[in-house]
């Protein structure tokens, strides 16, 4: 293993990036519409999965998946959408970050489609009944919801999906070559008294009784 510091020589100022990259194309700038038009509403209504990025006041970042039936995210109006809370691990990393910093970035994913939808903006966590009543629950009725006020909205470049061949089953790895979720959990919990069978049973119970 090399002893060299991989961060040595890292760029220190944003202006230095243009020494390596050309200016963005005009179309890449113009495609940001900043609001949720009919096209965006149709895409969000078809999306069963999104990735939600947040950060804390001290700069620590977090990305969390959110999933449900297509349309589980509600477009409230042309500048606001709401994501219902769902049963999780109760760490509340995402919600605490939003309450702390008030910022989010979203990528909506649609199965089989290479072009996701990207939404960036300010956000808040609310428990207001008049908002929660408008949402489609993901399992149990939501205790809270994340409301996002859009600032940037645009269809994201498909190149990452095309290169990865994400939707092509022929490129998927053989499950037998990968650790199972229970094996990963057991290794990462670092509890010598815990067995693989116990972790597997916990997973089965969670999926059977606590998914909703």
């Amino acid at each position: 293993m090399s002893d060299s510091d991989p961060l040595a020589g890292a760029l220190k100022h944003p202006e230095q990036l243009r020494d390596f990259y050309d200016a963005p194309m005009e179309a890449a700038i113009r495609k940001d519409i900043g609001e949720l038009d009919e096209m965006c509403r149709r895409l969000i209504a078809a999306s069963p999965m999104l990735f939600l990025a947040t950060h804390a006041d001290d700069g620590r970042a977090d990305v969390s998946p959110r999933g449900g039936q297509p349309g589980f995210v509600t477009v409230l109006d042309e500048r606001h959408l709401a994501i219902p809370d769902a049963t999780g691990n109760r760490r509340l990393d995402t919600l605490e970050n939003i309450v702390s910093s008030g910022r989010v970035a979203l990528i909506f994913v649609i199965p089989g489609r290479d072009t996701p939808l990207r939404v960036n903006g300010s956000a808040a966590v609310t428990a207001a009944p008049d908002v929660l009543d408008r949402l489609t629950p993901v399992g149990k009725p939501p205790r809270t919801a994340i409301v996002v006020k859009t600032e940037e909205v645009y269809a994201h470049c498909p190149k990452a999906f095309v290169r990865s061949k994400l939707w092509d089953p022929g490129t998927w790895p053989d499950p037998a070559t990968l650790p199972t979720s229970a094996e990963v959990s057991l290794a990462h919990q670092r509890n010598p008294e815990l067995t693989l069978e116990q972790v597997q049973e916990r997973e089965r119970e969670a999926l059977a009784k606590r998914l909703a």
Side-chain angles (χ1 to χ4, degrees), residues 32-53:
D32 175 13
I33 63 173
E35 63 182 20
L36 303 167
D37 66 356
E38 179 191 359
M39 297 296 177
C40 295
R41 290 171 182 256
R42 290 169 61 186
L43 294 174
I44 291 172
S47 175
M49 170 69 73
L50 63 87
F51 293 91
L52 195 162

Side-chain angles (χ1 to χ4, degrees), residues 14-80:
E15 296 79 8
Q16 293 177 283
L17 290 168
R18 288 303 167 192
D19 293 336
F20 302 91
Y21 298 95
D22 295 330
M25 295 182 293
E26 181 182 350
I29 302 298
R30 192 171 58 247
K31 70 179 181 178
D32 175 13
I33 63 173
E35 63 182 20
L36 303 167
D37 66 356
E38 179 191 359
M39 297 296 177
C40 295
R41 290 171 182 256
R42 290 169 61 186
L43 294 174
I44 291 172
S47 175
M49 170 69 73
L50 63 87
F51 293 91
L52 195 162
T54 61
H55 69 85
D57 279 345
D58 62 7
R60 288 179 298 168
D62 181 82
V63 177
S64 176
R66 290 288 190 274
Q69 65 274 30
F72 76 98
V73 174
T74 298
V75 176
L76 301 174
D77 56 45
E78 67 275 5
R79 293 299 299 274
H80 297 87

Side-chain angles (χ1 to χ4, degrees), residues 83-127:
I83 306 167
D85 173 47
T87 302
N89 57 22
R90 299 189 295 275
R91 282 181 51 125
L92 305 184
D93 298 307
T94 295
L95 299 182
E96 289 180 356
N97 283 352
I98 292 172
V99 171
S100 175
S101 69
R103 306 294 304 176
V104 298
L106 311 176
I107 291 183
F108 288 91
V109 177
I110 301 171
R113 183 183 177 91
D114 291 331
T115 306
L117 181 69
R118 186 164 176 165
V119 177
N120 301 330
S122 59
V125 177
T126 181

